[in-house]
């Protein structure tokens, strides 16, 4: 186990190169003046990283290789971009404890659900336990298409396209021949429905209607297009076939 603490002097504005410490497991950098992190690319064995109480404004590309992290503390910084920040954690399958509180991005109304959904390994977020009900609510928000399929049943409607009523009510153009006393008809009756006056052999027309969920904006799209009414793109698709 290797650990280091670089905050004794307090006031670091730039992180020194730590690539030589490839077996580093724990790193404390909290309480400094760091604005970016760009020297941890080779420290992929890190399991705990403490960066709280700094001035971080961006961590893009800084943590994608830290896939063994279990604890990550980033509270009280200046991170503003929710999607960009959470993307850094998508390969951290062991990440169980994360703190992003007291960052501007944490003021987003969907911050907690968004984070829980995109980092499914989390057990503790901002010192609060991640509950099963929160995971379910997050799934409903961000798995919109899948949930719509589970919650919605589209029914097909059968449309019997027979002949018009006027044709149905019309008498036969030619009367049937009389049957003789031997039970035999003088003329063979038509065998195909199409040969009968007033009948049609067209199959029934089936009509199937369903809601086109692909046209409904997802939560992320609504956030990026504030002020635009994207719901107007909603359509009901109708398919007819015989």
């Amino acid at each position: 186990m290797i650990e280091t603490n670089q905050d004794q002097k307090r006031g670091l504005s730039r992180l020194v190169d730590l690539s030589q410490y490839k077996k580093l497991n724990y790193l404390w950098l909290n309480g400094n003046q760091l604005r970016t992190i760009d020297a941890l690319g080779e420290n992929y064995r890190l399991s705990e990283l403490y960066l709280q109480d700094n001035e971080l404004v961006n961590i893009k590309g800084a943590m994608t290789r830290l896939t063994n992290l279990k604890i990550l503390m980033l509270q009280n910084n200046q991170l503003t971009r929710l999607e960009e920040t959470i993307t850094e954690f998508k390969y951290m399958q062991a990440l169980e404890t994360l703190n992003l509180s007291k960052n501007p991005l944490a003021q987003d109304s969907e911050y907690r659900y968004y984070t829980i959904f995109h980092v499914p390994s989390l057990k503790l977020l901002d010192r609060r336990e991640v509950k099963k009900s929160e995971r379910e609510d997050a799934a409903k928000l961000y798995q919109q298409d899948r949930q719509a399929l589970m919650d919605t049943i589209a029914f097909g409607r059968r449309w019997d396209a027979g002949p018009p009523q006027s044709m149905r009510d019309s008498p036969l153009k030619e009367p049937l021949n009389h049957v003789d006393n031997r039970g035999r008809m003088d003329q063979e009756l038509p065998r195909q429905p199409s040969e009968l006056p007033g009948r049609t052999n067209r199959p029934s027309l089936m009509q199937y209607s369903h809601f086109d969920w692909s046209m409904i904006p997802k939560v992320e799209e609504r956030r990026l297009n504030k002020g635009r009414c994207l719901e107007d793109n909603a359509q009901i698709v109708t398919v007819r076939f015989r």
Side-chain angles (χ1 to χ4, degrees):
M1 178 179 71
I2 300 178
E3 58 183 72
T4 184
N5 189 324
Q6 289 204 0
D7 65 352
Q8 293 91 343
K9 295 183 180 180
R10 301 283 178 175
L12 284 177
S13 59
R14 184 177 178 83
L15 184 61
V16 299
D17 185 10
L18 297 174
S19 59
Q20 59 180 316
Y21 304 105
K22 296 186 182 299
K23 295 184 179 181
L24 189 64
N25 297 118
Y26 310 97
L27 179 60
W28 282 265
L29 292 167
N30 53 297
N32 286 285
Q33 298 174 7
L34 297 172
R35 294 182 63 81
T36 59
I37 297 292
D38 54 6
L40 298 177
E42 301 299 322
N43 305 109
Y44 49 84
R45 292 194 180 186
L46 275 172
S47 61
E48 296 184 16
L49 179 57
Y50 299 86
L51 287 165
Q52 68 269 28
D53 304 319
N54 275 282
E55 299 176 4
L56 294 173
V57 295
N58 186 5
I59 61 171
K60 184 177 181 180
M63 300 184 182
T64 52
R65 299 188 66 181
L66 305 182
T67 56
N68 290 315
L69 276 180
K70 295 182 178 179
I71 298 176
L72 177 57
M73 297 295 175
L74 284 165
Q75 66 266 32
N76 196 24
N77 278 284
Q78 298 299 319
L79 300 173
T80 59
R81 300 179 180 179
L82 179 59
E83 291 87 351
E84 183 178 282
T85 300
I86 301 304
T87 298
E88 289 295 301
F89 313 144
K90 65 180 180 180
Y91 297 118
M92 299 181 184
Q93 299 183 6
L95 187 61
E96 296 181 349
T97 301
L98 174 65
N99 198 328
L100 287 166
S101 62
K102 297 183 180 179
N103 279 281
L105 59 77
Q107 302 302 314
D108 192 304
S109 60
E110 297 169 6
Y111 154 71
R112 187 169 177 87
Y113 285 142
Y114 185 89
T115 305
I116 290 172
F117 178 77
H118 287 90
V119 192
S121 58
L122 283 181
K123 295 181 179 179
L124 198 67
L125 175 60
D126 298 345
R127 302 179 65 182
R128 287 172 51 196
E129 179 186 358
V130 177
K131 298 179 180 179
K132 180 181 178 181
S133 59
E134 291 181 306
R135 297 188 192 279
E136 293 172 350
D137 290 341
K140 289 180 181 178
L141 279 173
Y142 297 102
Q143 285 183 325
Q144 182 171 305
D145 293 341
R146 184 183 301 178
Q147 196 63 35
L149 183 60
M150 294 172 61
D151 294 344
T152 304
I153 300 177
F155 292 94
R157 298 198 307 272
R158 182 181 177 87
W159 180 20
D160 294 321
Q165 189 66 33
S166 59
M167 181 178 293
R168 295 176 183 175
D169 297 338
S170 61
L172 296 177
K173 294 182 178 179
E174 297 181 5
L176 294 176
N177 293 330
H178 294 288
V179 181
D180 61 16
N181 56 6
R182 290 173 296 179
R184 179 177 58 82
M185 296 187 66
D186 295 339
Q187 184 176 355
E188 185 179 359
L189 291 175
R191 297 178 180 178
Q192 299 298 328
S194 59
E195 298 175 9
L196 290 174
R199 295 290 300 275
T200 176
N201 63 348
R202 290 191 305 165
S204 298
L205 183 66
M206 297 294 295
Q207 178 172 295
Y208 176 80
S209 299
H210 66 92
F211 198 81
D212 188 358
W213 291 100
S214 65
M215 302 299 294
I216 298 298
K218 296 183 179 179
V219 177
E220 299 171 46
E221 294 173 340
R222 290 200 298 269
R223 183 190 297 113
L224 296 174
N225 293 274
K226 290 182 177 178
R228 296 177 57 190
C229 187
L230 299 181
E231 282 76 4
D232 292 342
N233 295 332
Q235 295 182 8
I236 294 180
V237 178
T238 299
V239 181
R240 295 176 180 175
F241 55 93
R242 294 187 184 278

